[in-house]
């Protein structure tokens, strides 16, 4: 019986990231990945039961794990943290990856390119975004209860905040090797989004 190791798992994920970036989701196969790793397909299936499971692991490792941590932070009770400070912290963590991580950007591009003709879009959504959308919705529902925000659908409110937070980054999806943005630039973008969001969602 072969023993699975974290080192081997990481090596598989690194090779899978490169392969997905090169070939896209549909053309990537476990056969090709095994060939490039120099091992057997049986070994791959010992770590990941299917290409879909492998893709979810890739998404979580390079594109959404940081947001899972940020979402968890939103759910932590902190009597001294304001709604604005929580949104600033979440937005900065999200934009730092979107603007400075080439692998994450490549995964997002691949999802957008293939979502219309495969299950890749739903796999991506279920493996990351749904978690932080729910965390944001929970935060906003609580803020509505305390009168900090106007009563509305918390999930829709979460989606509206995310749209504002990422509005200035959308052009990067269409650029070739876009340059990284500084921490100060990211903070300024998030601050503009948070201020616009709070101004629009404030109680009337």
């Amino acid at each position: 019986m072969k023993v699975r190791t974290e080192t081997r798992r990481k090596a598989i994920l690194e090779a899978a990231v490169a392969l997905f970036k090169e070939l896209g989701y549909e053309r990537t196969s476990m056969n090709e990945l095994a060939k490039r790793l120099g091992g057997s397909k049986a070994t791959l299936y010992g770590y990941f039961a299917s290409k879909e499971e492998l893709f979810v692991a890739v998404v979580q490792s390079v594109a959404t794990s940081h947001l899972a941590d940020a979402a968890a932070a939103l759910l932590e009770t902190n009597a001294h943290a304001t709604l604005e400070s929580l949104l600033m912290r979440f937005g900065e963590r999200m934009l730092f990856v979107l603007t400075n991580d080439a692998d994450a950007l490549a995964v997002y591009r691949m999802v957008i390119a293939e979502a219309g003709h495969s299950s890749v879009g739903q796999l991506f959504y279920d493996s990351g975004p749904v978690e932080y959308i729910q965390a944001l919705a929970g935060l906003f529902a609580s803020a509505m209860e305390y009168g900090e925000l106007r009563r509305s659908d918390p999930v829709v409110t979460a989606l509206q905040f995310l749209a504002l937070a990422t509005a200035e980054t959308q052009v990067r999806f269409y650029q070739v090797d876009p340059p990284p943005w500084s921490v100060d630039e990211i903070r300024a973008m998030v601050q503009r989004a948070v201020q616009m969001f709070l101004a629009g969602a404030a109680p009337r």
Side-chain angles (χ1 to χ4, degrees), residues 82-144:
T82 64
L83 179 59
E84 181 176 4
S85 67
L86 288 172
L87 294 179
M88 284 293 301
R89 191 183 316 153
F90 178 87
E92 287 172 15
R93 294 181 72 168
M94 177 172 61
L95 290 199
F96 185 81
V97 172
L98 282 177
T99 59
N100 290 307
D101 190 313
D103 285 340
L105 182 59
V107 167
Y108 284 119
R109 283 173 167 166
M110 180 180 66
V111 169
I112 292 171
E114 302 201 30
H117 50 83
S118 76
S119 62
V120 69
Q122 194 64 50
L123 285 171
F124 174 80
Y125 183 81
D126 292 340
S127 65
V130 68
E131 181 178 352
Y132 61 79
I133 289 170
Q134 290 174 348
L136 280 168
L139 175 68
F140 292 148
S142 178
M144 291 171 192

Side-chain angles (χ1 to χ4, degrees), residues 9 13 53-68 107 123-124 126-128 131:
R9 185 178 187 276
L13 284 176
E53 185 177 310
L54 174 64
F55 176 72
V56 168
V58 165
V59 167
Q60 291 173 337
S61 67
V62 304
T64 64
S65 61
H66 64 291
L67 292 177
V107 167
L123 285 171
F124 174 80
D126 292 340
S127 65
E131 181 178 352

